[in-house]
Amino acid sequence: MITCHVRYVIDPYQLSEFEAYAKAWLRIVERLGGTHHGYFLPSEGASNVAYCLFSFPSLADYESYRHIAMTDTESMALVALLVEKKFIVSYERTFLRPVLA
C-alpha cells in the first residue's frame, strides 16, 4: 500500500471553497479505486494550511488513478474551478508506506 500525504497552503478567505473542493475529491478518489482518509482543515494555529491522506494498493495503482483523473469529467471540472478561484496557493505531496505489526 502507498499513502499520499498532501500539505496545502490555502487562501484562508476561501476556506468554504476549499472545503467543497475537498468533499468532491473524497468521492472521486473512492470512485477511482483509492481509500480516502480525509481532509484536515485549519482549526487552531495557522489558518492557511490543510492536509489530506489517501491510499492506493500500490504506486502503480496511484499512477493509474492520476492518469484516469486527467480525463475524468468531475475531476477536470474541479481543476478548472481551482484555476479560476485560486483557493489553493501551493501544495506538496509525500508518499508514505505503513509499518504494520
Side-chain angles (χ1 to χ4, degrees):
M1 177 172 62
I2 190 83
T3 298
C4 185
H5 171 268
V6 185
R7 179 186 185 273
Y8 296 96
V9 175
I10 61 174
D11 178 348
Y13 299 105
Q14 297 191 69
L15 185 57
S16 61
E17 288 84 351
F18 179 79
E19 187 168 354
Y21 172 87
K23 287 178 179 178
W25 275 108
L26 291 168
R27 293 186 309 275
I28 293 171
V29 167
E30 295 283 337
R31 179 169 52 81
L32 297 182
T35 301
H36 213 299
H37 308 292
Y39 280 82
F40 303 87
L41 304 182
S43 179
E44 294 293 323
S47 64
N48 68 335
V49 176
Y51 300 94
C52 84
L53 290 160
F54 57 93
S55 299
F56 281 88
S58 68
L59 188 55
D61 290 320
Y62 169 78
E63 291 298 333
S64 177
Y65 148 80
R66 294 261 311 175
H67 181 73
I68 294 167
M70 290 169 53
T71 60
D72 178 77
T73 305
E74 189 178 3
S75 63
M76 288 173 50
L78 286 172
V79 171
L81 179 67
L82 170 61
V83 169
E84 176 190 341
K85 300 283 185 175
K86 297 177 177 46
F87 45 82
I88 296 175
V89 177
S90 65
Y91 67 93
E92 302 168 358
R93 279 186 303 212
T94 302
F95 294 93
L96 308 165
R97 61 180 175 82
V99 175
L100 305 170

